[in-house]
Amino acid sequence: MKSQTIVFLVRHAQTSPAPNNDPSLYDRRILNEEGRAQAKKIGEYLADFGIAKIYTSPTKRTQETADMIYHISGCSSEPVVEKKLNEIYNNAEFENIDKTGVSFIENIVRHNNGKQIVLVSHMLVIAELLKKLGADESEMQLPCQQGEMYRLVFAEDKFVECQKISL
């Protein structure tokens, strides 16, 4: 019997816009009050799943989301910062998702076989990863709003199912 690995692919919770829409400040945005409530709700939901590991993009908003999930869900391992989950800012990074993003998830699944893990990232990264893994449009239901997530099921290392979860 093949073991199942579950990956919860979470978009960071809500933030305030960058002042003056200054792109240089995007990585430093933090969660607002609504975002903290969203992250808390995600952590409470995931507490029932026995989360083994949490990986997060290096931005402040994803790390804050991951930290709240970590503290509330009861995960035994502190969040790991992973650059491959970082925001996409240009076309070269979109093209790179196919090479690095999917292989990253496949490696994560292999190393966490039979466990339930969380990846906290950004809308465009999530959308591209879902497309590259082979999720169909009805499963993806894009766009992924702040504080929403996908439950990805892998049998051994083969992607078999995607379900969008809105709390």
Side-chain angles (χ1 to χ4, degrees):
M1 180 156 108
K2 293 186 177 192
S3 61
Q4 278 191 348
T5 304
I6 307 296
V7 175
F8 291 96
L9 188 52
V10 177
R11 182 173 178 202
H12 64 82
Q14 186 175 15
T15 65
S16 299
N20 302 320
N21 285 326
D22 181 352
S24 70
L25 301 176
Y26 285 173
D27 289 348
R28 293 182 280 178
R29 287 187 301 165
I30 60 173
L31 301 183
N32 61 22
E33 187 175 326
E34 175 66 24
R36 286 187 291 282
Q38 288 172 339
K40 181 180 181 216
K41 191 182 275 189
I42 293 167
E44 290 169 347
Y45 175 82
L46 294 174
D48 293 333
F49 291 94
I51 300 301
K53 197 134 194 171
I54 301 170
Y55 298 86
T56 179
S57 156
T59 64
K60 289 275 191 195
R61 59 194 181 273
T62 55
Q63 288 185 42
E64 275 188 285
T65 302
D67 285 341
M68 288 195 74
I69 292 169
Y70 163 70
H71 288 292
I72 295 168
S73 72
C75 179
S76 59
S77 168
E78 288 192 26
V80 175
V81 175
E82 178 50 62
K83 289 182 183 179
K84 290 182 175 112
L85 294 171
N86 203 14
E87 184 73 89
I88 297 173
Y89 294 108
N90 60 52
N91 286 338
E93 290 170 337
F94 269 111
E95 293 168 12
N96 203 24
I97 281 275
D98 195 23
K99 296 177 212 153
T100 62
V102 173
S103 64
F104 166 70
I105 288 185
E106 290 168 346
N107 285 333
I108 292 293
V109 167
R110 268 188 233 102
H111 287 95
N112 293 281
N113 190 19
K115 297 177 182 172
Q116 301 195 56
I117 60 172
V118 175
L119 307 178
V120 183
S121 192
H122 307 271
M123 179 178 62
L124 295 176
V125 174
I126 290 169
E128 284 302 302
L129 286 172
L130 292 173
K131 288 176 194 172
K132 302 297 184 190
L133 284 168
D136 65 37
E137 287 187 27
S138 66
E139 292 173 315
M140 292 188 291
Q141 300 175 31
L142 294 173
C144 180
Q145 300 299 323
Q146 292 173 332
E148 289 186 329
M149 69 183 116
Y150 292 87
R151 179 181 173 271
L152 308 179
V153 179
F154 292 82
E156 295 296 327
D157 59 353
K158 183 179 185 225
F159 172 70
V160 295
E161 182 182 324
C162 173
Q163 175 188 15
K164 187 174 185 178
I165 300 171
S166 301
L167 301 176

